[in-house]
Amino acid sequence: MPGGFRVDVGLPGHRVRHVLHTYDADALGRLGRELTAPGTWIKVSGDPAEFWAALPDGWAMGTAGYLMSVRFRAEPVRPPAPYTVQVDTEPGGAVVVATVRDGAGGTAAWGRLAPAGEFGIVDKVETEPAHRRRGLGRVLMRTLAARAAAGGLRTGILVATDDGRALYRTLGWVVRSDVPAAYRPEVHPG
């Protein structure tokens, strides 16, 4: 796709995602008219007002985010007791999954890192509600950064929520752009 890429997400309400890093109002309007399947999303790096002005009717506003980046550094990481960190790779060996486990071996937090050239894309970072406010997000992000740096990845990229943005800023991540989102709603028989 010119100016971006397509991701087959495959989730209810979020079947396909089109992410645009470069676009103009005409191209976005054309894409918005062509993409009619329910569960289709469009996300862009740019001005939210311009994004919404270019889209035709039929699109609903999605949760906005923030494109952020950082220079990866390898720093020592120690989770607080009784937590441990497990790092695995998905089949194929490219995507790294870091999981923080509690004292009973349950999942407390997790996140993923995928290489894209010299960039590392951080995604699906989450801490279970019962384990929040214990520094696990910081442990997780430093673990992923260390793994990225060891693998030769220089720059980290992610799209943060409002809550995530605050944490990532304390770790040196910088906001580069707003990321507005829109989707075609799925109609559920009721």
Side-chain angles (χ1 to χ4, degrees), residues 58-73:
W59 288 89
M61 185 177 353
T63 303
Y66 306 92
L67 179 66
M68 300 183 79
S69 68
V70 72
R71 180 89 168 160
F72 281 132
R73 296 186 324 245

Side-chain angles (χ1 to χ4, degrees), residues 6 21-22 24 31 36 41 69 72 81 108 125 134 164 178 183:
R6 173 190 163 124
H21 52 78
T22 306
D24 61 37
L31 185 64
T36 59
W41 284 70
S69 68
F72 281 132
V125 175
R134 298 179 189 187
D178 288 329
Y183 64 96

Side-chain angles (χ1 to χ4, degrees), residues 8-153:
D8 291 314
V9 179
L11 297 174
H14 201 148
R15 308 291 177 181
V16 177
R17 180 185 318 150
H18 296 267
V19 181
L20 307 177
H21 52 78
T22 306
Y23 67 94
D24 61 37
D26 290 338
L28 183 57
R30 196 168 39 257
L31 185 64
R33 287 186 297 278
E34 291 170 3
L35 300 175
T36 59
T40 299
W41 284 70
I42 299 175
K43 293 186 176 187
V44 302
S45 175
D47 181 84
E50 291 175 11
F51 174 67
W52 282 106
L55 282 178
D57 290 341
W59 288 89
M61 185 177 353
T63 303
Y66 306 92
L67 179 66
M68 300 183 79
S69 68
V70 72
R71 180 89 168 160
F72 281 132
R73 296 186 324 245
E75 298 178 88
V77 180
R78 285 191 198 269
Y83 296 98
T84 59
V85 179
Q86 176 181 335
V87 179
D88 298 300
T89 55
E90 289 187 347
V95 176
V96 173
V97 179
T99 307
V100 177
R101 302 222 176 262
D102 63 18
T107 300
W110 63 90
R112 298 164 28 110
L113 169 75
E118 69 181 51
F119 299 97
I121 312 303
V122 176
D123 191 29
K124 300 198 184 279
V125 175
E126 191 164 340
T127 302
E128 287 290 338
H131 298 279
R132 291 183 182 156
R133 303 279 184 237
R134 298 179 189 187
L136 302 182
R138 180 177 300 275
V139 167
L140 184 67
M141 292 300 290
R142 285 189 171 152
T143 298
L144 292 172
R147 184 67 178 255
L153 303 177

